[in-house]
Structures are given as C-alpha cells and as structure tokens.
Amino acid sequence: MGGPSVQLYSVRDAFAADPDETLRRLAAIGFRRVEPYGVVENVEALRAGLAAHGLSAPTAHAAVVGKDQEAVFGAARELGIDVVIEPLIPAERWGNSADVAATAEALNAAAKVAARYGVRVGYHNHWWELESRISGRSALEVFADRLSSEIVLEIDVYWATAGGEDAAALLRRLGERVGAIHVKDGSLAVDATGQVPAGQGRVPLREVLAAAPGALRVVEFDQHPDVFGGIAESFAYLAGAGE
C-alpha cells in the first residue's frame, strides 16, 4: 500500500507558519504520503514542498459543493492528487432522506466535473451522519446508496464510533466503497478533546484496520498538545500493526 498518510489539518498551525519545515518533519517521521487541505489556497507551498521532501498526496480535503470546482480539481491535477474529499456537510443536512439525496446529487455532479481533470471525488464523515437514522439505517449509508460508484468514502472511524456506530461493522458493510480511513483515537468526545495516539483510546483500531485491509490509512488529530509527537506515535502503532 505504500505506507500510511497524515492529514495536514492535524498540523495546520505549523503548516501555516512554515509549510516546508512542516513537511520536512513529517517526512522525517517516516511518512511518504500526506493528505492536504485547502488545495487551491496552498497549491504553491504544496507544489514545492511535496517534491522537496519526497512526498505524494493521493488524497486531499477541499470543499467542492457550492465552490469553484474547476479551480479545485485543476489544483488537484497539478499536485498529482487522485481523490478530492469533501470534508464536511453540516449536520442539519442529514436529518431526512430528501436532504441526503440532494447532497448525494451534488457530489455526483461534482464527480462529473472532476473526471475531466482525471480526479475522483470523496466524502469524509463526522459523527452526525452516523447518529442520524433514516428508516433504521445511518444517514451515511443511505447517502452511500445514492452515490455514483466512482465516489470514494473516507471513513473517520473516531467520529463514526462517537456517533454510536460499530466502526468495523460499518466498514464491512460499505466494503470497497471505502478508499481511506482516518486513523484517530481518544475519548470519543465530540468536541475533539481527549484525542490520543492510535491504539491508546477507545476506538477499536485493530478491528477497524482488519475490516478495511485495502483502505489508505490516514493519521489525523483534530487537536493534541504535542501533535508531532502524537503523529509519530500513531505512525509507530501502524508500523507495529504491519501497516
């Protein structure tokens, strides 16, 4: 698989201050892949930094619904990004089947634009898509049924667990639709406090990893007092698990 990736949002303050040094530090930990955010805003720093430090970006987060999609997918193509992932659709859009269908239709339309650039579209969940139930199923799974087959799901297993879902079972149900997982651990607080390195919290990561053997592993923290140290510990956990 080429080893794990790391979401650059985890180190957003360091990246904003010195993107080149931030990418150097992540490469020194052992990463060969990163998951950028804001590809249009950061295209110049990424263009230089990825090449300088031997990094690639198979996935990235960038809002596409209601945005200038040509700019987003053009920047992604320039940076060699394969999948552009919509990072968030607000919780109020997941309460009924009509709203879920409208979001799916918006991403399906974006995927047609992305295809002209040789790029695919993805979606990343929070807790509310799992907490919301429609006819006895999670809103996320209702949503997945309405997506075009080329759209990738990136399952954030911390948020899925916080939303009351058995993340490993969810991954097994979604199967090959899952192209990536956010490897994140902690107390399951929805305000993102109490996050810890992989394997040290309440997320059943061993079962999660086994349930999605082909999915790209992407280390992420929403916040952590020593984020580079936490990322390094999570990288070591994945290495120890044979990832």
Side-chain angles (χ1 to χ4, degrees), residues 165-185:
E165 195 65 61
D166 177 333
L170 174 69
L171 290 168
R172 288 191 291 268
R173 290 196 300 272
L174 293 172
E176 293 184 358
R177 302 302 301 274
V178 181
I181 59 176
H182 268 184
V183 178
K184 181 164 40 177
D185 210 344

Side-chain angles (χ1 to χ4, degrees), residues 77-102:
R77 179 173 64 183
E78 180 181 347
L79 295 169
I81 293 164
D82 298 319
V83 183
V84 173
I85 297 167
E86 175 71 58
L88 180 153
I89 298 293
E92 59 266 23
R93 301 292 296 170
W94 295 93
N96 61 71
S97 57
D99 282 345
V100 170

Side-chain angles (χ1 to χ4, degrees), residues 5-9 34-40 42 46 50 56-64 72-73 75-77 79-87 119-124 152 154 180 182 216 218:
S5 182
V6 56
Q7 167 56 252
L8 294 183
Y9 181 79
V34 296
E35 185 173 79
Y37 61 94
V39 294
V40 174
N42 295 313
L46 290 166
L50 295 177
S56 65
T59 60
H61 279 202
V64 296
V72 172
F73 299 134
R77 179 173 64 183
L79 295 169
I81 293 164
D82 298 319
V83 183
V84 173
I85 297 167
E86 175 71 58
V119 176
R120 298 173 72 189
V121 167
Y123 184 73
H124 163 271
V152 174
E154 178 176 62
H182 268 184
L216 175 66
V218 185

Side-chain angles (χ1 to χ4, degrees), residues 195-225:
Q195 291 186 3
V196 298
Q200 299 180 23
R202 294 178 58 192
V203 178
L205 284 176
R206 295 284 182 183
E207 293 85 351
V208 162
L209 296 171
L216 175 66
R217 284 73 162 105
V218 185
V219 172
E220 188 194 32
F221 288 87
D222 294 289
Q223 55 183 323
H224 190 270

Side-chain angles (χ1 to χ4, degrees), residues 107-171:
L107 279 190
N108 290 342
K112 294 179 179 178
V113 179
R116 301 204 301 266
Y117 292 86
V119 176
R120 298 173 72 189
V121 167
Y123 184 73
H124 163 271
N125 64 282
H126 285 73
W127 69 89
W128 49 78
E129 301 95 335
L130 288 309
E131 196 172 67
S132 177
R133 313 301 288 188
I134 297 172
S135 300
R137 301 174 71 211
S138 73
L140 183 72
E141 290 173 89
V142 174
F143 171 69
D145 285 349
R146 292 181 171 272
L147 292 176
S148 299
S149 60
E150 68 271 17
I151 293 181
V152 174
L153 293 174
E154 178 176 62
I155 301 302
D156 186 310
V157 297
Y158 177 95
W159 290 136
T161 307
E165 195 65 61
D166 177 333
L170 174 69
L171 290 168

